[in-house]
Amino acid sequence: RRWSVVLLVILRALSVKRAVRPLDPPFSKRVPGTLFVVDAFNYKAKWITAYFLSHAHSDHYTGLNSKWNSGPVYCSRTTARIIIDRLGVNASLVHVLSPDTSHSIHGTQVQLVDANHCPGAVQFLFTTPGGERYLHCGDMRFDEKLMKSEALSKFRNCTTAYIDTTYCHPRYEFPPEESASAYAANETQKALKSGLNSALVLIQAYNIGKEKLLAQVHRKTARRIFASSQKLAYLRCIDLDPSVSSIFTSSPNATDIHVVRWGLLGDTWPFFRPNPTVIEAYLKKQSKRYTRVVGIVPSGWMYNPKSKGDISVVEVKTRGGISVSIHLVPYSEHSSYLELKQYLAWLKPQKIVGTVGMSGESGLTTARHLSRITSRPIVGFPAQALAYKRGRKSLKIEEDDEGE
């Protein structure tokens, strides 16, 4: 019996060890030729010497919190402010990298360039001691102004580009950010001019992101926008023009434009579904009585390929009879399919790694769409799999040697 107890203790110890054993990150998060990883804070393998954070969106910093002690974190100044102030990460572990300056980290040269995504978002340019060049773009939206970057221009024909494939499908053709922002601003102004200020405008946004759209709404209406204390705490970590205090207010009674948490107006995936009950609950908290709500949901997922450029508007009523008009604005901070094609045509990397939605059968579909806009090899997907035709058995997908 004594031996059975000992065996039980050993088995339990082994099971605990397996449960907490650090996992190696996937090849899409590694930097070959180094011991670096990008946006991989859930992976705490002992061989990792440096963690890089492209931007402060939760799907990229998952695993990073006040208890983080697994290694140094390298990021932009804005992102550093956010993770120190809002996540409580130990400041001694956070290293700010200045943009357009080459930094030597464990013998590898690292540069940052703008990603045209949310505030603080950057693309990482790695040059290993062996001369290989790797571009990790994090999340980004391509803009022709990026081609003017001297640092990024030197990475044309780089060894491998790790590309944001969030919207890698021909159906996604977004309007320019400026056009989508202008639409949101115009609809906000229309709502405020009608009904003797009886309308409340609600703009759905993340903790970080959509600031350019919010600033445009402010400029068009000459009104400040209410933001919750949590939202304001994030906004104070970033540099805005005009300033945060000029655009936003902490008093909901001071304005009829409110920025609200993502999901309050409705769920956006896999298609938009309004939340009239939640909207009504929000209205009841306001001291002012409103007879109408105009909602703005800015996201690339709101793009409707059947609309022929028109923006969809969802009309609902709350139980209390309040009319709600929700504008689904295709304001994207990720590249459209054509913008992705344009970026790859200019960049001409020797190999490509997709970083979003690249697993399983859906990943194979994404890889096929990617293969239609570039002739470069897509790491992890053999040419035979990309040439798959309907009715044939799909091939097993294996990681390229580069992922090892």
Side-chain angles (χ1 to χ4, degrees):
R1 182 177 179 181
R2 184 178 64 182
W3 283 108
S4 64
V5 172
V6 172
L7 182 60
L8 180 61
V9 171
I10 292 174
L11 288 173
R12 284 182 177 176
L14 289 173
S15 65
V16 170
K17 185 177 181 180
R18 281 196 298 270
V20 299
R21 184 175 62 190
L23 299 174
D24 283 340
F27 71 95
S28 61
K29 294 182 177 292
R30 303 184 202 178
V31 183
T34 74
L35 300 178
F36 301 165
V37 293
V38 179
D39 298 341
F41 300 94
N42 265 343
Y43 305 92
K44 301 176 182 179
K46 292 182 179 179
W47 59 263
I48 300 173
T49 59
Y51 291 82
F52 291 82
L53 176 59
S54 63
H55 64 290
H57 276 163
S58 60
D59 55 330
H60 289 256
Y61 64 65
T62 300
L64 187 61
N65 51 44
S66 60
K67 297 180 181 179
W68 177 262
N69 62 358
S70 297
V73 179
Y74 296 89
C75 58
S76 69
R77 184 172 303 280
T78 295
T79 299
R81 288 178 193 154
I82 294 170
I83 64 174
I84 293 171
D85 184 77
R86 304 312 307 153
L87 302 185
V89 178
N90 187 336
S92 67
L93 294 172
V94 180
H95 301 268
V96 173
L97 300 179
S98 302
D100 297 319
T101 300
S102 184
H103 305 266
S104 180
I105 302 174
H106 298 296
T108 292
Q109 297 300 312
V110 184
Q111 286 184 275
L112 275 62
V113 295
D114 183 43
N116 192 35
H117 185 59
C118 68
V122 295
Q123 303 179 72
F124 290 110
L125 312 179
F126 299 96
T127 304
T128 69
E132 293 86 5
R133 295 171 300 151
Y134 298 99
L135 164 64
H136 269 263
C137 76
D139 283 350
M140 62 92 68
R141 181 164 186 181
F142 176 72
D143 188 287
E144 289 186 359
K145 66 184 179 184
L146 295 178
M147 295 189 293
K148 298 178 182 179
S149 166
E150 182 179 348
L152 193 56
S153 295
K154 291 179 180 178
F155 263 66
R156 298 183 70 187
N157 199 36
C158 59
T159 308
T160 304
Y162 295 73
I163 296 294
D164 174 12
T165 47
T166 300
Y167 293 109
C168 186
H169 193 290
R171 73 164 66 101
Y172 295 114
E173 299 179 15
F174 307 132
E177 287 179 290
E178 296 79 8
S179 298
S181 295
Y183 176 90
N186 290 335
E187 291 303 317
T188 299
Q189 187 178 53
K190 288 179 188 176
L192 298 180
K193 283 186 174 181
S194 63
L196 298 176
N197 293 327
S198 62
L200 174 64
V201 178
L202 301 179
I203 304 174
Q204 188 165 288
Y206 306 116
N207 286 328
I208 289 294
K210 322 299 183 186
E211 287 78 14
K212 287 180 280 189
L213 182 145
L214 294 170
Q216 180 68 7
V217 168
H218 163 72
R219 285 190 289 268
K220 183 72 174 182
T221 63
R223 299 199 192 191
R224 290 201 290 172
I225 301 169
F226 164 72
S228 67
S229 57
Q230 175 175 307
K231 175 70 174 176
L232 284 171
Y234 276 90
L235 289 168
R236 292 188 182 107
C237 293
I238 67 180
D239 297 319
L240 287 179
D241 184 22
S243 66
V244 171
S245 59
S246 298
I247 300 175
F248 299 98
T249 174
S250 60
S251 172
N253 300 322
T255 179
D256 297 323
I257 311 172
H258 294 191
V259 57
V260 296
R261 64 172 176 81
W262 195 259
L264 188 144
L265 290 169
D267 299 318
T268 57
W269 179 258
F271 53 86
F272 184 76
R273 301 177 305 287
N275 288 331
T277 302
V278 178
I279 295 170
E280 186 167 51
Y282 185 85
L283 289 172
K284 288 180 178 178
K285 294 179 181 179
Q286 311 308 313
S287 59
K288 185 174 179 179
R289 298 298 93 184
Y290 294 98
T291 59
R292 181 172 168 239
V293 170
V294 173
I296 304 290
V297 180
S299 171
W301 298 118
M302 299 301 97
Y303 177 74
N304 181 2
K306 298 180 181 179
S307 67
K308 297 181 180 180
D310 295 331
I311 291 177
S312 301
V313 181
V314 177
E315 302 282 355
V316 295
K317 278 187 179 292
T318 67
R319 285 189 176 182
I322 303 296
S323 297
V324 181
S325 301
I326 303 175
H327 298 255
L328 308 182
V329 182
Y331 175 90
S332 178
E333 293 176 330
H334 297 264
S335 299
S336 68
Y337 189 64
L338 291 179
E339 288 166 343
L340 190 57
K341 178 180 180 180
Q342 189 177 0
Y343 190 30
L344 292 174
W346 176 77
L347 192 62
K348 293 182 171 61
Q350 296 174 34
K351 293 183 181 180
I352 297 170
V353 175
T355 61
V356 181
M358 300 299 292
S359 61
E361 285 298 319
S362 62
L364 182 54
T365 299
T366 300
R368 288 180 186 138
H369 289 312
L370 188 56
S371 70
R372 293 189 182 106
I373 58 175
T374 179
S375 60
R376 307 295 176 166
I378 300 170
V379 178
F381 297 87
Q384 299 96 315
L386 299 179
Y388 165 79
K389 295 181 180 179
R390 194 180 301 274
R392 288 178 56 191
K393 188 175 181 179
S394 60
L395 301 178
K396 182 180 179 181
I397 300 170
E398 298 178 352
E399 291 189 0
D400 184 88
D401 289 342
E402 191 171 343
E404 298 301 317

